[in-house]
Amino acid sequence: DPADIPCAANLAELLHNLGRTPEGLPYLENAARLNPTSAPVWEAFSVYHVRAGQKDKALDSLTKASKLDPASSRITYYYGLALHDAKRTPEALAALSKAHSLAPSDPEPLFALATISRDSGLIDDAIAHAQKLLPLDPDRARRLLQELKSTP
């Protein structure tokens, strides 16, 4: 079924794994043509673009996906990472904070918030995020807190 978004995404992934990444694009384009307001279509496009080394296009696709499904913690999380990769740190931190509020039991947004805050010199914020991470991912949180406490 050409409108089956998971099928198109899986086929694009399979072709990527076979070293044939460009061949997956028509399947995603067709899914997007048939489902232009589907956030999962644009999320799948973002994965394709990352794999094709097209970070700007990946960010564009994630921007569309996040607007179409602002309640998706996963899309919001990936959008935050893409914003960070684009050196848009304040926007990245805002998106990752939103992802954490949408899925408070998911450790990944907190870990990203802590590490991006650390890398941006926001040590107090990084410590606060790492402390919130403790009950969700004690090992990573402890390592991060130890590193942050030794930061001058």
Side-chain angles (χ1 to χ4, degrees):
D1 178 8
D4 186 335
I5 298 160
C7 181
N10 289 338
L11 187 52
E13 182 173 357
L14 173 65
L15 289 166
H16 168 75
N17 291 339
L18 294 172
R20 298 164 43 193
T21 301
E23 292 177 48
L25 185 59
Y27 297 100
L28 295 173
E29 289 173 334
N30 194 47
R33 185 179 54 76
L34 296 170
N35 304 287
T37 59
S38 167
V41 164
W42 297 106
E43 181 184 13
F45 257 116
S46 74
V47 171
Y48 171 83
H49 290 307
V50 165
R51 289 177 172 161
Q54 303 165 338
K55 292 180 182 181
D56 290 342
K57 288 183 179 182
L59 179 56
D60 291 343
S61 295
L62 281 166
T63 300
K64 289 177 187 174
S66 68
K67 287 179 182 175
L68 290 167
D69 190 359
S72 169
S73 62
R74 184 183 71 241
I75 289 171
T76 305
Y77 169 70
Y78 288 127
Y79 179 54
L81 294 180
L83 287 165
H84 174 64
D85 194 53
K87 309 287 188 251
R88 293 166 56 183
T89 302
E91 292 170 89
L93 292 170
L96 292 164
S97 291
K98 180 181 176 187
H100 171 60
S101 69
L102 291 168
S105 63
D106 182 354
E108 297 309 320
L110 278 173
F111 185 74
L113 282 164
T115 56
I116 292 169
S117 294
R118 175 203 62 204
D119 296 347
S120 301
L122 305 168
I123 303 304
D124 290 341
D125 291 348
I127 290 170
H129 294 308
Q131 287 172 334
K132 290 180 191 173
L133 181 63
L134 269 169
L136 301 175
D137 191 340
D139 292 338
R140 279 199 300 178
R142 279 192 213 101
R143 282 193 302 271
L144 189 54
L145 283 166
Q146 180 142 2
E147 174 189 327
L148 290 166
K149 288 177 181 175
S150 67
T151 302

